[in-house]
Amino acid sequence: MHRKALRIVKDAAYATKLYFLAAPALFALYTVLQIGSWSSGALSLAMVRQITDTFIQGFPGLAMKALTIYILIHAFRSLASAICTYAGAILKDRGSIFTVNELAENLSNVTTLDTFETPEYHDLTFNLRNLDWHLYQASSALTTMVPQAAAVISHSILLGSISPFIPAVIALSAIPQMLIKHSLMTMHYSGLLSQAPELRKLNYLQNIMLHPQYAGEVRFLGLLPRLRQSYTGLFDQVLKREMGIARKKTTNSLLLSAATWLGTASAVAIGTYLVISGDVTAGDFAVLLPGAVSLSFYVSQLVDWLGSMEMLTLHMGSLRTLQSLGQPDGVPAGGGSATQHDGMPADDQARCGPMHSVSVRNVSFAYPGTDRKVFDGLNLDLAGGETLAIVGLNGAGKTTFAKLLMGLYRPTAGEILVNGRNLAEYEPDSLRSQVSCIFQDYGRYLLTFRENVGFGQVGKMDDDAALWHALEEAEVADVVRREGAGSESGKGLDASDPRSAHASPHARNTENTEAILDAQIGKDFGGTELSGGQWQKLALARCLLRDASFLVLDEPSASLDVETEYSLYLRFKGMMKDRMCLLISHRFTTVRMADRIVVLEDGGITEEGTHEQLMDLGGTYARLYRQQAGRYRQ
């Protein structure tokens, strides 16, 4: 019990710290006004007693002074309530932004992908979808704990002057309230945890039924009845479980209300007896009922605070688990010395210069949570200036191999050497600054053209010349000019304007093109819509913007026609003279341009050589090449 109370206090203090750091001045104002507002209740009742007694005793002057103080107290409370409502809403928003940024910054230390590909991670993030609200509730409750306690003490003193039994019976009612509140909180959060996978799947099914991305295929295939059936079946399953929890919650809530009512009723009964027996003054009688109700309310608020703190602690467990993903073992989230990954101090990690060799030594790899090895004892060397193509059937591990070389996965056995040094010994950001990649599942960012290309190297985001050069290299510059000129930011451009798609190439390349690059993409936000091939060319431009010594191209032309793909690879051949390149493609007309080709099968390399050597070998590569060439001829 002591450990649990200590954990509640620590988590509450951490939540308060987050909101203080988000907006220090606003947080201070909010806290001071809350303390003043909550603490003035007993003083207000004391003024009521003073007014009543002094009028009856024939002292109207004293009564008027007490009445003036009473009015000022309520004016202050009304003003403080209005300001706290406004300040609390702003504080919630600022705290939400600050907390998400803090979490994102912490997770930025997680440089491998295996963490994000587990059901546990998705359940954690799903359970924390309302974290900002829980943090706000906890922080708000913590800032009001002191004034709540002051209100309980002041009201207890006020009512205790009438009879010590009145505050005593109300205080005793807090014991069953705390026990019932604990049971409610435990049921609520255990229900959330147990249903996280099902609720995530419900959200996913709803997205398939409603999102425009799936609209065409869903309607063409007539999938809506099937999807609705799956959605309804899963919903009924979740609802049945929720109804069971709801019944228990209702019973406990009724017991909680009964315990609160019993304390208030007992206090009023004692006061009524004293009034009948003539042991109290008229002023005492005037404050007895509202004072008992107020004290009971403040006691219930303290119980609610404990409940919200307990709920916060349950949510904070998920938050701290997520934060710990960005911390080395043994270092608590939010503290400790500066360290990096694999337990290696940041000062001991090397900076990676231009990559002139990559060696894979006896590497094995299996995805977390599985026993099936994608690779088992893999060996391969890649030299500077060489283009290596990886081919194989779907599921052979081509993309996984590329991600291993980029440090996005870590081998379960063996090692990967970059320039003769273990890849894990390099600073992750330094290593990746030497790698440029177009991913098979490249991003389609519904932002501006500038951002879609500039994300390749953020430092060049405002370098229009560099951005246009990358767009030209990816053969998508004309598309950007045309689509950008037709967007909201580019409207009004005509053929005579150097920013127009119809202007001369020289004018287009030398005049200001800021409006074009800052055009919005995506109809979701009122921008232009792009085809799959145009999106892929933008991803290529993003890749080409990055000044790197190692180029990784994972299906970089899957959405392009053969002629465009061939034109792009002729350009790539010129760009890759002094750089290493890893190429993954199912199109063998492109693959044959590589200096060396390897075939991945059954967790290892089964064939290796040039196009001509592999064709002479007559193995898997030759068979796949002939099958594809035959389809092209047909």
Side-chain angles (χ1 to χ4, degrees):
M1 189 68 181
H2 172 71
R3 290 181 180 178
K4 185 175 182 178
L6 184 62
R7 188 175 68 250
I8 289 175
V9 171
K10 286 183 177 179
D11 287 340
Y14 180 70
T16 303
K17 176 184 175 183
L18 286 176
Y19 274 86
F20 173 77
L21 293 176
L26 189 65
F27 183 87
L29 174 65
Y30 180 82
T31 303
V32 169
L33 290 178
Q34 284 280 71
I35 291 174
S37 179
W38 283 74
S39 301
S40 60
L43 181 59
S44 176
L45 286 175
M47 290 301 102
V48 170
R49 179 165 64 176
Q50 182 71 8
I51 292 167
T52 305
D53 286 342
T54 50
F55 262 121
I56 291 175
Q57 294 169 8
F59 300 104
L62 291 176
M64 291 305 297
K65 290 180 181 179
L67 179 60
T68 302
I69 295 174
Y70 177 84
I71 293 173
L72 291 175
I73 290 172
H74 278 272
F76 165 76
R77 296 184 75 179
S78 298
L79 179 63
S81 176
I83 295 175
C84 283
T85 300
Y86 173 74
I90 298 176
L91 190 62
K92 175 181 177 296
D93 291 338
R94 291 192 179 180
S96 172
I97 294 170
F98 182 83
T99 303
V100 171
N101 284 334
E102 284 281 294
L103 184 58
E105 182 179 356
N106 194 275
L107 289 177
S108 68
N109 293 325
V110 182
T111 58
T112 56
L113 298 180
D114 46 348
T115 296
F116 303 101
E117 296 177 351
T118 62
E120 292 76 16
Y121 174 81
H122 293 288
D123 288 345
L124 284 171
T125 54
F126 184 81
N127 288 329
L128 288 175
R129 64 197 183 280
N130 294 321
L131 175 65
D132 58 334
W133 173 246
H134 293 299
L135 284 172
Y136 169 72
Q137 284 184 312
S139 179
S140 178
L142 188 65
T143 57
T144 58
M145 181 192 67
V146 173
Q148 282 173 357
V152 169
I153 294 172
S154 59
H155 279 76
S156 297
I157 293 173
L158 179 67
L159 295 175
S161 64
I162 301 174
S163 170
F165 293 108
I166 295 176
V169 294
I170 294 177
L172 286 173
S173 71
I175 297 175
Q177 289 183 57
M178 286 189 290
L179 295 175
I180 296 168
K181 194 71 176 180
H182 169 73
S183 178
L184 276 171
M185 293 299 102
T186 302
M187 278 191 289
H188 176 72
Y189 198 73
S190 62
L192 285 179
L193 287 177
S194 64
Q195 296 182 159
E198 288 91 345
L199 292 175
R200 281 196 296 109
K201 190 168 184 179
L202 278 175
N203 283 352
Y204 178 70
L205 289 171
Q206 178 179 318
N207 188 50
I208 293 177
M209 289 189 288
L210 302 179
H211 199 282
Q213 176 185 350
Y214 304 99
E217 187 171 28
V218 165
R219 278 147 186 81
F220 175 75
L221 297 175
L223 300 181
L224 274 175
R226 171 70 181 186
L227 290 170
R228 289 174 58 191
Q229 180 183 359
S230 298
Y231 183 87
T232 303
L234 186 57
F235 182 85
D236 289 342
Q237 177 183 335
V238 171
L239 183 63
K240 182 178 179 180
R241 194 183 309 168
E242 280 190 344
M243 289 296 292
I245 297 174
R247 284 192 291 270
K248 295 178 181 178
K249 283 184 179 180
T250 302
T251 301
N252 279 19
S253 296
L254 290 173
L255 291 174
L256 183 63
S257 298
T260 305
W261 176 85
L262 185 61
T264 305
S266 300
V268 171
I270 294 172
T272 303
Y273 170 78
L274 293 174
V275 170
I276 294 173
S277 63
D279 293 335
V280 297
T281 67
D284 292 335
F285 177 73
V287 302
L288 176 62
L289 183 58
V293 171
S294 295
L295 179 57
S296 182
F297 169 76
Y298 291 131
V299 169
S300 296
Q301 287 295 300
L302 280 176
V303 172
D304 284 342
W305 176 81
L306 291 172
S308 65
M309 289 300 101
E310 188 169 358
M311 174 60 77
L312 170 71
T313 296
L314 294 170
H315 281 281
M316 289 292 285
S318 296
L319 176 61
R320 291 192 185 281
T321 300
L322 276 179
Q323 288 181 315
S324 67
L325 298 179
Q327 299 292 329
D329 294 338
V331 179
S337 59
T339 58
Q340 278 290 348
H341 315 282
D342 303 305
M344 180 178 294
D347 292 341
D348 292 344
Q349 289 188 310
R351 292 194 59 80
C352 184
M355 298 171 65
H356 53 74
S357 70
V358 174
S359 299
V360 179
R361 296 285 179 262
N362 298 315
V363 163
S364 298
F365 177 76
Y367 286 107
T370 67
D371 296 325
R372 187 184 73 83
K373 289 185 177 181
V374 181
F375 303 117
D376 190 8
L378 191 67
N379 288 279
L380 187 67
D381 291 301
L382 182 59
E386 181 183 19
T387 299
L388 175 70
I390 306 288
V391 299
L393 299 176
N394 289 334
K398 301 183 294 295
T399 296
T400 302
F401 177 73
K403 290 180 177 179
L404 280 166
L405 296 189
M406 291 187 287
L408 293 175
Y409 290 129
R410 294 289 163 83
T412 51
E415 61 178 354
I416 299 174
L417 305 176
V418 174
N419 297 343
R421 188 166 188 166
N422 193 304
L423 180 147
E425 296 178 11
Y426 289 107
E427 296 176 3
D429 290 341
S430 174
L431 176 73
R432 287 169 192 164
S433 69
Q434 296 297 324
V435 182
S436 185
C437 175
I438 175 170
F439 290 91
Q440 186 177 23
D441 51 349
Y442 56 86
R444 300 186 180 195
Y445 304 105
L446 298 183
L447 301 169
T448 64
F449 286 109
R450 180 184 300 280
E451 290 166 308
N452 268 274
V453 181
F455 282 166
Q457 191 160 341
V458 177
K460 295 183 179 181
M461 184 80 73
D462 297 321
D463 187 346
D464 287 13
L467 297 178
W468 281 110
H469 179 71
L471 290 167
E472 294 283 2
E473 289 293 322
E475 297 189 349
V476 71
D478 284 341
V479 172
V480 173
R481 293 187 186 100
R482 181 178 65 252
E483 300 297 338
S487 69
E488 287 295 326
S489 58
K491 281 183 177 178
L493 300 181
D494 55 32
S496 63
D497 193 307
R499 291 174 292 172
S500 169
H502 307 290
S504 69
H506 175 72
R508 291 199 304 262
N509 292 332
T510 57
E511 295 294 332
N512 178 24
T513 54
E514 183 176 346
I516 301 292
L517 289 172
D518 289 331
Q520 173 69 42
I521 306 176
K523 290 183 179 178
D524 292 22
F525 300 103
T528 185
E529 198 68 26
L530 300 181
S531 67
Q534 290 167 343
W535 273 116
Q536 187 155 37
K537 287 181 179 180
L538 272 185
L540 278 168
R542 185 162 59 243
C543 171
L544 296 174
L545 181 70
R546 197 174 182 90
D547 185 16
S549 55
F550 183 27
L551 193 59
V552 179
L553 306 174
D554 187 359
E555 295 289 351
S557 54
S559 299
L560 305 180
D561 58 78
V562 178
E563 184 177 353
T564 302
E565 179 193 41
Y566 185 77
S567 174
L568 280 173
Y569 274 104
L570 288 179
R571 296 194 181 200
F572 280 138
K573 287 293 287 183
M575 294 171 53
M576 295 184 293
K577 287 181 180 178
D578 301 320
R579 297 195 282 185
M580 289 189 299
C581 179
L582 180 70
L583 169 64
I584 300 173
S585 179
H586 284 95
R587 291 185 177 176
F588 287 80
T589 51
T590 299
V591 169
R592 66 180 298 174
M593 298 183 192
D595 301 314
R596 184 160 49 109
I597 303 167
V598 297
V599 178
L600 281 180
E601 284 183 298
D602 301 324
I605 296 174
T606 58
E607 300 175 23
E608 182 175 356
T610 64
H611 169 75
E612 290 75 16
Q613 290 171 336
L614 294 180
M615 290 301 294
D616 292 340
L617 184 64
T620 299
Y621 177 85
R623 175 174 53 83
L624 294 175
Y625 181 85
R626 292 190 181 101
Q627 287 176 352
Q628 191 172 100
R631 288 198 297 271
Y632 278 123
R633 284 194 297 270
Q634 291 173 9

